[in-house]
Amino acid sequence: MKKRRLNYIDMAKGLGIIMVTYGHITDVGNPIDVWMSTFKITIFFIISGYMVNLLNSYKNISFVDYVKKIFGSIMVPYFSFSILGTAFRFLLFLAKDQDNYKDFLADYVYSTLTLRGATTLWFLPCLFLGLTLLYVVLKKKNKYVIGLTLIWPLIAAYGASLLLGYMEQNLSKFYFILLSYPLLTVAKAIVAVWFLLIGYFSYSILSKLQGKYYRFGLGVLLSLITIYLSRFTSGIDFNNMALGNIPFLFYMLGITGSIGAILVFEFLEHYFKLELFTYFGKNSLILMATQRIFCVINVAYAGWDKVAHMEPTLNFRYYFDCLAILIIVLLMEYTIIEFINSRAPRIMGRRPTGL
């Protein structure tokens, strides 16, 4: 079945990627950042699983064809941006006359090959591996396999977090990198398939709830629960398998925040266009892949700090500064997105229009 665009899904993805971008701008553990960290990544997994169920995209396709399909849309951009980003960073090293470029190149190449991913590119192989595992689980059509998939990722993730902490304390930097990169790839994919499966079943459950006002009310309730309970968690960094001081809240709020956003946007799309969220939701992969490896955020941050002097303490001015930098980043990314979509679609695994 051909995938169709749903505005509320694009809006929810837009919220997610804007939260990710804001999180890369702010470096103070403020309440807004803590709240966003509870679901700014998991919302993409929840939505992907939700859409798999909505479109039945796995049922009438073989495993090989399915992998080819998602490889083209996820892993082709991953390798494209990895190569381009590594070349870009290498040129920066040469421009600054730094002599440690060999270590940099080794790290970026190893990150790419182990699917650990350089900077924000880690998300793409994580999603690819998660969707592949989801296909296998769903094709089994076995309640015990599905039940096990809802349990063992939680145990494996906890074990991986402990192991990573032990390795960091007891191994040299070289061996820690050597072993932790592939471990992180596997661990994050395991957690990803859990959220994907939650998203898949969420669609089945929510489809039984009729009435847009009931669905909207549930969305608002779930969103308020997420905001309130985020006060009790901290230290979430899914990229490095840090699930916060209370891992249970990471999983719970990842669900409530994501489902809440989907239902709220589903209601709002009937009354508001919210084109900012829709546009960046449609192009979330490009924004995710380019904002850090091509130093877009660094340039925006340095520029704003140069003309306005970034506020280092947590107050109203700090939030204003972060918002200003976010706007600059999104304006810069708009140019990048438009260029890639119109002039270089092969980077995204797409053919140029007309071919």
Side-chain angles (χ1 to χ4, degrees), residues 213-316:
Y213 292 108
Y214 290 114
R215 294 172 69 88
F216 175 64
L218 177 60
V220 171
L221 177 62
L222 293 175
S223 298
L224 291 175
I225 289 173
T226 305
I227 293 171
Y228 177 75
L229 292 182
S230 66
R231 301 164 53 215
F232 303 103
T233 188
S234 62
I236 294 176
D237 180 10
F238 182 53
N239 181 23
N240 293 300
M241 281 304 294
L243 306 184
N245 59 321
I246 308 177
F248 170 76
L249 285 180
F250 167 75
Y251 292 105
M252 175 186 171
L253 301 185
I255 298 172
T256 58
S258 302
I259 299 300
I262 291 171
L263 293 177
V264 168
F265 281 117
E266 181 186 58
F267 178 83
L268 292 179
E269 76 165 347
H270 297 292
Y271 305 97
F272 307 99
K273 290 186 177 181
L274 300 178
E275 293 181 0
L276 175 71
F277 292 103
T278 303
Y279 178 82
F280 286 108
K282 289 179 180 178
N283 297 285
S284 57
L285 191 153
I286 299 177
L287 182 52
M288 178 79 79
T290 59
Q291 61 181 255
R292 296 200 68 175
I293 200 167
F294 293 105
C295 301
V296 176
I297 290 177
N298 302 68
V299 171
Y301 191 101
W304 181 257
D305 187 49
K306 184 72 173 178
V307 299
H309 305 293
M310 182 73 182
E311 174 61 45
T313 57
L314 185 58
N315 53 32
F316 175 78

Side-chain angles (χ1 to χ4, degrees), residues 72-177:
S73 61
I74 299 175
M75 294 307 290
V76 168
Y78 169 73
F79 286 112
S80 298
F81 285 120
S82 294
I83 293 170
L84 292 172
T86 302
F88 175 79
R89 289 295 186 98
F90 176 66
L91 291 175
L92 288 183
F93 269 82
L94 295 181
K96 292 190 291 185
D97 252 352
Q98 294 181 330
D99 56 5
N100 58 339
Y101 67 89
K102 291 183 180 179
D103 293 337
F104 153 76
L105 284 176
D107 183 72
Y108 266 49
V109 170
Y110 187 60
S111 295
T112 299
L113 295 180
T114 58
L115 305 186
R116 167 70 174 90
T119 65
T120 50
L121 291 171
W122 68 267
F123 174 78
L124 303 183
C126 181
L127 179 60
F128 171 76
L129 294 173
L131 285 171
T132 303
L133 290 172
L134 179 68
Y135 176 94
V136 173
V137 170
L138 294 178
K139 278 293 188 179
K140 289 291 183 182
K141 297 180 180 179
N142 186 304
K143 62 181 180 180
Y144 297 107
V145 172
I146 293 174
L148 185 62
T149 307
L150 289 172
I151 297 173
W152 71 271
L154 308 181
I155 300 171
Y158 179 71
S161 297
L162 293 178
L163 181 57
L164 285 165
Y166 175 83
M167 290 165 56
E168 189 171 14
Q169 293 292 325
N170 294 278
L171 297 179
S172 67
K173 181 179 179 181
F174 173 81
Y175 283 107
F176 175 71
I177 290 175

